[in-house]
Amino acid sequence: MYNSSLHGLFIFELITKMAFVAFLGRLLFVSVFVLSAYQEFNEFGADGGPAAKNLKPKFDVFSKHVTAQTGLQVPHVDLSWSFNLEFGVARGASLLYRYEEFDAKEIVEEEAIRRTKRKKKKKKMETITETINCVQSKYDRARELKAFDDTKAGVKGLVDAGIEKIPQIFILPKDNKTNEAEADNFDKVDFSIPVIDLEGIGNDSKLHQEIVEKIRHASESWGFFQVVNHGIPVSVLEEMLRGVRRFNEQDGEVKKQFYTRDVTRKVVYNSNFDLYTSPAANWRDTFFCFMAPNPPKPEELPDSCRDIQIEYSRHVMSLGFQLFGLLSEALGLESSRLIDMDCAKGLTFVGHYYPACPQPELTLGASKHTDDGFLTVLLQDQIGGLQIFLENKWIDIPPVPGSLVINIGDLLQASELLISNDKFRSVEHRVLANRDGPRVSVACFFSTSLMPSLKLYGPIQELLSEDNPPKYRETTVEEYVSYSYSKGLDGISPLLHFKI
Ligand SMILES: O=C(O)CCC(=O)C(=O)O
Ligand SMILES: [Fe+2]
C-alpha cells in the first residue's frame, strides 16, 4: 500500500541529497500528477490504467539510478493508486503532454556521461597528486645529502662519474633570502681592491708609513686587499696549489681515509662542512688542519702535500706577524698590540678544490659569508670567481700572479670596532662556480678556531667609555668559531649573535 508520509520523506531526502536526483524527483512527481490528471480523464481500473502501466518502466529506471547513485533504496510505490491530489483536468493534460516528452532513459544516459567525466576529472587530480608526491618523495633531501656524504668522494666524485646535471642538493633555492643568485641582479662594478706592494717595507720608513696608510684605507673601505712582494717565493705558492690539487686528485681510496666530519681529527677532509645545515650545498671539497699552535706530526699530514703544507704555513705565519704589526699601526696602536692579543696564535690551514661545474649558474663554489677568524691570507689560482659584496654590489677579486688576498675577519672587526669610527670591516664574500676547473685555493685563517680557549675577546678595554660603550659582548675564539661553524654559511654574519 502506498504510504503518503513515506513518499514525502523520500522526496525530501532526494531533494536535499543531490541536485540531479531532486531534478529527476521533480519530474517524476510531475509525471505522477499528470497520471492523476489522466486518470481523472479516463476511467482507471484496478491496475491504474494505461498511464500507470506506461509510467512503471520509467519509474523503475529512475529507482535503479537513484539506488546506484546514492545507495538509497527507493521505497516501493504502488502506481495503481495514482495520487489523489487536486489538479484541474486541463492543467493535468498539459502536464501529461510534457511528461510524454520526457524520456527517462535519455536523462539517465546524460547523467552517466556526466558521471564518467567527473570520474575522469577525479582520476586526473589523483594522478597529479600522485605525481607531486612521487616527485617530493624522490627528492628526499636528507637522504640525498647522506647518500652524497656516504660516497666520501666529494663533488669531485660526481664530476669523475660524468654527471652532466648537478644534483638537486646543490641547487640554490630561488625563494631563499640568502640566495645569492638574487644578488646577481645587483650591479657588478668594474673596480678592483688595491694591490699593495710590500717590497722594501723594512728599509724605508716613509714607504713603511705609506703602506700602513694603504692598509688602513683598504681595511676600512673594503676589508680586503691583495699583497705582492710579501716575501713568500712564487715557487712556494705554486707548489702549494699543486699540493692541494694532488691531494684531491689522488687515488679515491687513499683520500677516503681522511674523509670525516669529526673535527677533532688532525686532518679533516670532506665536502661542505655545513652540508646538513646549509640551504644548498656548495660545489667544492675541502681539507683542513690546525697548523698552529699545535701542528700535527708531519706523518699525520697527507703524503700528497705534507712538505709544502709545512713550508707554506711557516711562511704564512711570518707574513701574519708582519701584517698584524701593520694593522696595529693602522689602528694607531703599538705595532705589537694585536700580536700581544694572541691574534696570530692559531693558524687553520684550509685547502679548497672547486671542480669544473656543468651548471655553474645554479649553484655556488662558496656561499656568501664572512670569515670568523682575525685575519685570512688567501692564495688563489688563475681561474677566478672570488667576489666581495659591498654596497649591494659584487666586486670581482681577480687573480694577480704571485699575490695573496688578505681580508679582515669577524674577530678583528669586533675587537677593534671602537678604536676609531672608521672601522675595519669583515666583509662578505663568495666564490662562483665555474665551467672551467678545477679551481684551487688555500685559505689560512689566523684563529685558534675550535681549540679549547679561555681568553676573552671583545672591544679593546682601554678605549671604552660612557660615550663609547661596547657593542659586542666578549667571547672566546672557541665559542665564536663553534657558533659560526654550527650555523654554517647561511648568509647571516655570526657577529650579530654577539651584539649587545
Ligand atoms: O676559495 C676562495 O677563494 C675563498 C675561500 C673562502 O672564502 C674561505 O675559505 O673562507
Ligand atoms: Fe672566506
Side-chain angles (χ1 to χ4, degrees):
M1 251 336 232
Y2 171 69
N3 176 330
S4 67
S5 66
L6 187 59
H7 177 258
L9 181 68
F10 164 58
I11 294 297
F12 174 76
E13 242 186 308
L14 290 182
I15 288 170
T16 52
K17 284 238 164 155
M18 294 186 72
F20 85 93
V21 174
F23 168 64
L24 288 177
R26 273 199 305 276
L27 272 176
L28 181 73
F29 209 35
V30 164
S31 305
V32 170
F33 284 116
V34 169
L35 177 63
S36 174
Y38 183 85
Q39 284 170 333
E40 270 185 35
F41 250 104
N42 301 276
E43 252 181 283
F44 64 90
D47 62 359
K53 276 191 210 132
N54 208 7
L55 181 61
K56 177 124 183 20
K58 293 183 181 183
F59 182 78
D60 287 345
V61 172
F62 167 74
S63 302
K64 258 196 221 151
H65 186 66
V66 167
T67 307
Q69 286 290 320
T70 66
L72 288 174
Q73 196 57 48
V74 179
H76 175 72
V77 177
D78 188 346
L79 292 169
S80 67
W81 272 88
S82 57
F83 306 91
N84 296 322
L85 298 174
E86 316 275 310
F87 260 96
V89 171
R91 194 142 173 237
S94 103
L95 286 172
L96 176 64
Y97 174 73
R98 277 155 69 186
Y99 160 74
E100 292 297 354
E101 295 276 287
F102 159 62
D103 187 335
K105 198 166 160 236
E106 224 170 69
I107 289 198
V108 167
E109 272 167 11
E110 271 173 24
E111 183 49 31
I113 292 169
R114 270 201 292 273
R115 205 170 76 201
T116 315
K117 275 188 185 161
R118 268 203 305 273
K119 267 193 184 162
K120 271 192 185 158
K121 202 171 164 189
K122 197 173 159 216
K123 183 88 199 130
K124 207 168 161 186
M125 284 311 293
E126 279 171 359
T127 315
I128 290 172
T129 315
E130 253 172 45
T131 313
I132 290 170
N133 289 343
C134 183
V135 168
Q136 277 174 348
S137 67
K138 269 197 185 138
Y139 182 52
D140 180 342
R141 185 172 176 79
R143 206 179 56 201
E144 286 202 13
L145 289 171
K146 174 86 172 57
F148 167 68
D149 209 15
D150 285 349
T151 66
K152 300 184 181 220
V155 176
K156 180 164 192 312
L158 299 175
V159 174
D160 288 347
I163 57 143
E164 284 171 6
K165 289 197 163 171
I166 68 172
Q168 183 86 36
I169 54 169
F170 294 92
I171 298 178
L172 289 161
K174 285 219 161 39
D175 55 349
N176 192 302
K177 276 248 176 287
T178 66
N179 178 4
E180 290 91 332
E182 163 196 318
D184 279 333
N185 300 330
F186 294 117
D187 299 340
K188 274 203 203 135
V189 280
D190 226 1
F191 158 84
S192 268
I193 58 159
V195 178
I196 301 174
D197 189 347
L198 299 182
E199 179 80 70
I201 188 169
N203 316 324
D204 181 338
S205 61
K206 187 164 164 281
L207 180 66
H208 180 101
Q209 239 0 83
E210 278 171 20
I211 291 172
V212 166
E213 184 49 27
K214 281 183 187 168
I215 288 179
R216 184 193 63 76
H217 184 58
S219 303
E220 288 167 0
S221 310
W222 309 293
F224 271 75
F225 53 94
Q226 306 213 53
V227 287
V228 287
N229 296 315
H230 36 64
I232 308 183
V234 171
S235 59
V236 171
L237 303 182
E238 287 172 348
E239 177 55 12
M240 186 68 261
L241 292 172
R242 278 196 297 271
V244 173
R245 196 165 171 161
R246 273 196 305 274
F247 174 86
N248 284 278
E249 294 177 359
Q250 70 186 308
D251 181 83
E253 289 307 312
V254 178
K255 194 170 56 166
K256 264 183 194 170
Q257 294 163 18
F258 293 99
Y259 197 96
T260 181
R261 296 204 173 268
D262 173 3
V263 291
T264 63
R265 291 260 297 267
K266 294 284 180 173
V267 178
V268 174
Y269 156 65
N270 60 40
S271 185
N272 287 264
F273 76 91
D274 55 352
L275 184 69
Y276 294 100
T277 52
S278 64
N282 288 160
W283 198 255
R284 73 169 172 185
D285 302 328
T286 297
F287 80 96
F288 76 86
C289 42
F290 303 122
M291 297 302 285
N294 307 311
K297 294 190 195 101
E299 60 272 23
E300 290 171 326
L301 292 169
D303 290 355
S304 44
C305 57
R306 171 186 303 141
D307 296 343
I308 188 62
Q309 214 183 325
I310 294 169
E311 184 178 359
Y312 178 73
S313 301
R314 196 170 42 75
H315 278 294
V316 171
M317 236 8 212
S318 78
L319 175 63
F321 270 81
Q322 184 182 18
L323 289 170
F324 278 118
L326 295 169
L327 287 162
S328 301
E329 288 178 46
L331 291 166
L333 297 166
E334 283 291 307
S335 64
S336 61
R337 186 70 172 90
L338 293 174
I339 298 290
D340 294 344
M341 282 171 63
D342 283 348
C343 291
K345 188 176 168 190
L347 187 72
T348 310
F349 174 104
V350 180
H352 295 299
Y353 186 86
Y354 302 83
C357 181
Q359 293 175 298
E361 62 290 349
L362 298 182
T363 188
L364 283 169
S367 300
K368 182 170 77 175
H369 68 282
T370 55
D371 291 349
D372 56 21
F374 291 101
L375 192 73
T376 306
V377 174
L378 179 89
L379 166 63
Q380 62 169 333
D381 68 10
Q382 298 307 302
I383 296 280
L386 175 63
Q387 298 184 319
I388 60 171
F389 195 54
L390 271 179
E391 276 86 50
N392 270 3
K393 293 178 179 68
W394 283 109
I395 300 170
D396 288 326
I397 307 225
V400 172
S403 77
L404 290 163
V405 178
I406 312 295
N407 65 288
I408 305 293
D410 294 345
L411 284 169
L412 189 52
Q413 173 176 324
S415 299
E416 59 72 40
L417 192 68
L418 298 165
I419 292 170
S420 81
N421 285 329
D422 304 314
K423 306 175 211 70
F424 284 3
R425 302 169 73 174
S426 174
V427 166
E428 289 171 323
H429 52 286
R430 69 175 182 180
V431 181
L432 300 178
N434 203 321
R435 236 172 251 287
D436 297 329
R439 174 181 187 266
V440 171
S441 73
V442 176
C444 283
F445 302 106
F446 279 94
S447 158
T448 48
S449 195
L450 297 167
M451 271 180 54
S453 61
L454 296 173
K455 193 176 168 71
L456 289 169
Y457 288 90
I460 290 175
Q461 291 294 323
E462 67 259 34
L463 295 162
L464 297 179
S465 67
E466 262 182 34
D467 301 338
N468 227 358
K471 290 192 177 143
Y472 295 94
R473 73 172 171 84
E474 289 186 317
T475 178
T476 64
V477 175
E478 185 190 6
E479 183 195 17
Y480 190 81
V481 175
S482 300
Y483 174 72
S484 162
Y485 203 86
S486 65
K487 213 171 65 64
L489 304 187
D490 63 0
I492 300 158
S493 169
L495 262 184
L496 296 177
H497 183 70
F498 293 82
K499 257 203 151 130
I500 294 174

